[in-house]
Amino acid sequence: MISMCSRTMKTTAVGAVIALLMPLAAEAHKGWIEPSKTVLAVGQWVTFDAATSTDPFIKDHNPLRLDNLLITAPDGSTVQPENAATGKLRSVFDLQLTQAGTYKIAVLNSGTMASWDDNGQTRRWPPRGQPFTAEGFAKEVPAKAKDLKVSQSIGRLETYVTAGKPSDGACKPSGKGLELVPVTAFNDLYAGEAAVFQLLIDGKPAKSVDVEVIADRRQYRDAVDAIELKSDDKGQLSIQWPSPGLYWLSASVTDSKADKPAKERRSSYTGIFEVLAP
Amino acid sequence: MKHPPFFLAICSFAAAPAVLAADLDISVQIPQLDVAEYHRPYVAVWLEREDHSVAGNLALWYSQKRGGGPGPGGAPPADAGKPAENKSMAGGEGGTKWLPDLRQWWRRSGREISVPIDGVSGATRPVGEQKFSFTVGKAPLAELAPGKYKLLVEAAREDGGRELVDIPFEWPVAAETPLKTQGKSELGGVSLLLKP
């Protein structure tokens, strides 16, 4: 009984610490999915590494959880990954490209979080790993909590691989949150050439959104050297790829179009792209 | 009287309306390489218009391994989807698996077509000069509208490098026009003889 009790206490304490660190962690660590190849022939296998770390593609922090992994085939159907496993520093999974066209590999994380001031201490609900429910919110969060902030988040992390000719069947926007759609195909990118993509928020052009693009191999240069861009009036971005390699592209929008009881909504999109040598 | 005989020959051909068969004679040198493990290169030869669209695939040499699936961009191999039962660890992709390594050719047309291509694709070729000839308007080369073109030759070799060379030209030509370029690593001399 005693040991049970102390373990419960310990878990709660750890949970609280994690909850407190979460917003900071969300800022500091970048999620990424790294495909072994992006331009392939039909029938080939491709493997993926997925993790979160300070610098994209560097396996030195945490694996990415694959619970919300969704792979969309060129015909729009959902396909299952094979050999999915989660290690200490990264998760892995394999995929065989049985159809011709572009596949979308996505991890969608959405949720709602309440935080408030309880006699000088910041409290949060729901605890990590637990879903936000209206009943739970009514029960656990004091109606007149001081500095109550309820925020919703919709986060997309995507990458794309293509067998044969690129197609856009898997890249159709869902109309929810921040999304990126191809003008230049996602797997038709070459160093020295400009690519045009369009950012959408709830299916409509996301104008004047700041976008950050970071190249791989960060460990071999002194600075992050991020490329800073802003979407235009059509929500479009034009990216001139400086060199071949993998790129991590990210943007977020905070607005008030949240589902009640949340008042604020943060939508984010992160995409991983491979740029080829011409 | 001082004209060399071949010049006279051209003149007489040009004057003869019967000779309409415009030809492209191509020669590609696959160089001898001093390497421990040599694999013959995959090679693609094609004609491109100014906008990079493909005016014709002329040659495609790749490893004809048993079990090579139908096609890179087209239909999946018959065993696609099934666990690799096995021909090789990577499934029954055969020699077509590496076609995307001819990356410029793959981008311009490879990813959209199925191999083999009748009269175009074939086995890899040995070191030496590979000669072939095409007649405009006769398969596999369609009629060429007047304009600017490029002959492209791309080679990629397992355990080796990749090289792309091109020869720009204008079509049609008034007289026999010899053109050439030189590769540096995976390709030797490439020549193109245009015949009106």
Side-chain angles (χ1 to χ4, degrees):
Chain A
M1 273 306 270
I2 290 162
S3 72
M4 276 282 283
C5 190
S6 68
R7 193 198 292 171
T8 311
M9 277 176 63
K10 201 171 161 191
T11 311
T12 312
V14 168
V17 169
I18 288 170
L20 282 169
L21 286 173
M22 250 177 65
L24 190 68
E27 292 297 318
H29 294 110
K30 300 172 176 72
W32 48 269
I33 305 170
E34 179 185 351
S36 55
K37 276 191 172 187
T38 61
V39 174
L40 303 108
V42 172
Q44 279 187 254
W45 283 91
V46 58
T47 189
F48 300 84
D49 282 345
T52 62
S53 53
T54 304
D55 295 309
F57 315 117
I58 297 174
K59 297 157 202 162
D60 63 359
H61 183 58
N62 278 337
L64 189 78
R65 294 165 62 98
L66 302 178
D67 308 316
N68 299 319
L69 175 67
L70 183 70
I71 302 174
T72 310
D75 66 0
S77 64
T78 298
V79 289
Q80 294 305 316
E82 291 197 36
N83 307 316
T86 295
K88 290 279 184 208
L89 299 174
R90 54 93 175 82
S91 292
V92 291
F93 54 94
D94 297 334
L95 177 68
Q96 188 178 27
L97 310 181
T98 56
Q99 294 178 22
T102 300
Y103 284 70
K104 176 164 88 176
I105 294 89
V107 171
L108 178 66
N109 283 312
S110 52
T112 301
M113 172 72 78
S115 69
W116 66 96
D117 184 293
D118 183 16
N119 286 327
Q121 254 198 330
T122 304
R123 301 231 356 231
R124 284 168 206 281
W125 188 88
R128 193 176 206 189
Q130 281 183 32
F132 182 95
T133 57
E135 302 83 58
F137 177 76
K139 202 175 136 199
E140 304 288 337
V141 181
K144 289 184 179 172
K146 193 185 162 198
D147 295 340
L148 177 64
K149 259 181 75 177
V150 186
S151 45
Q152 183 188 5
S153 66
I154 302 175
R156 280 173 204 287
L157 172 57
E158 301 183 349
T159 192
Y160 318 87
V161 297
T162 296
K165 193 184 179 187
S167 63
D168 56 11
C171 304
K172 290 203 166 67
S174 70
K176 229 182 127 188
L178 194 61
E179 294 175 276
L180 193 75
V181 290
V183 177
T184 304
F186 288 153
N187 293 135
D188 204 10
L189 312 174
Y190 299 87
E193 291 182 21
V196 177
F197 301 147
Q198 187 184 29
L199 268 176
L200 301 175
I201 181 84
D202 297 334
K204 296 188 188 76
K207 301 168 190 175
S208 304
V209 176
D210 289 320
V211 177
E212 185 180 31
V213 181
I214 300 175
D216 61 351
R217 299 169 61 81
R218 164 68 184 89
Q219 66 270 52
Y220 307 121
R221 59 181 186 264
D222 291 338
V224 173
D225 294 340
I227 303 169
E228 309 282 351
L229 302 163
K230 201 185 254 295
S231 63
D232 65 13
D233 285 349
K234 287 188 269 179
Q236 292 190 346
L237 309 164
S238 177
I239 309 169
Q240 181 81 29
W241 308 104
S243 55
L246 286 169
Y247 287 82
W248 181 91
L249 179 153
S250 192
S252 69
V253 170
T254 302
D255 57 29
S256 56
K257 294 173 186 165
D259 295 330
K260 283 181 181 174
K263 292 212 171 103
E264 182 188 86
R265 182 181 71 159
R266 183 178 187 270
S267 310
S268 66
Y269 168 86
T270 298
I272 287 89
F273 301 90
E274 188 185 24
V275 173
L276 307 180
Chain B
M1 286 301 131
K2 284 178 183 172
H3 294 309
F6 106 96
F7 182 74
L8 287 174
I10 292 168
C11 288
S12 61
F13 270 117
V19 186
L20 289 169
D23 286 337
L24 275 74
D25 290 351
I26 297 168
S27 158
V28 174
Q29 182 80 36
I30 295 178
Q32 176 91 50
L33 298 169
D34 188 16
V35 289
E37 186 183 329
Y38 180 79
H39 299 273
R40 290 177 182 181
Y42 275 34
V43 176
V45 181
W46 75 102
L47 290 183
E48 211 171 80
R49 298 182 191 92
E50 259 193 312
D51 63 357
H52 301 300
S53 63
V54 175
N57 273 307
L58 302 179
L60 177 66
W61 308 330
Y62 61 95
S63 177
Q64 311 281 304
K65 281 178 191 157
R66 231 178 275 169
D79 63 351
K82 286 184 207 158
E85 287 170 24
N86 251 272
K87 300 157 184 175
S88 67
M89 278 305 286
E93 296 132 329
T96 61
K97 176 178 176 177
W98 307 110
L99 285 174
D101 285 0
L102 291 167
R103 57 180 195 252
Q104 194 64 220
W105 172 78
W106 185 254
R107 177 188 193 186
R108 301 302 179 203
S109 69
R111 67 191 188 184
E112 297 174 39
I113 58 183
S114 293
V115 290
I117 314 169
D118 214 19
V120 173
S121 61
T124 51
R125 304 287 180 97
V127 167
E129 194 182 11
Q130 305 295 331
K131 288 182 167 183
F132 38 118
S133 190
F134 302 92
T135 300
V136 175
K138 209 169 147 193
L141 183 58
E143 290 293 346
L144 292 177
K148 289 182 176 174
Y149 292 88
K150 263 184 188 177
L151 170 77
L152 287 114
V153 181
E154 183 172 25
R157 188 168 50 87
E158 182 180 351
D159 222 0
R162 172 260 183 194
E163 186 167 32
L164 175 69
V165 299
D166 64 54
I167 298 178
F169 66 93
E170 266 189 70
W171 186 262
V173 287
E176 220 173 65
T177 311
L179 298 165
K180 63 182 187 180
T181 189
Q182 181 69 39
K184 292 187 181 75
S185 53
E186 299 299 329
L187 290 165
V190 172
S191 63
L192 170 66
L193 179 62
L194 302 168
K195 296 177 185 170

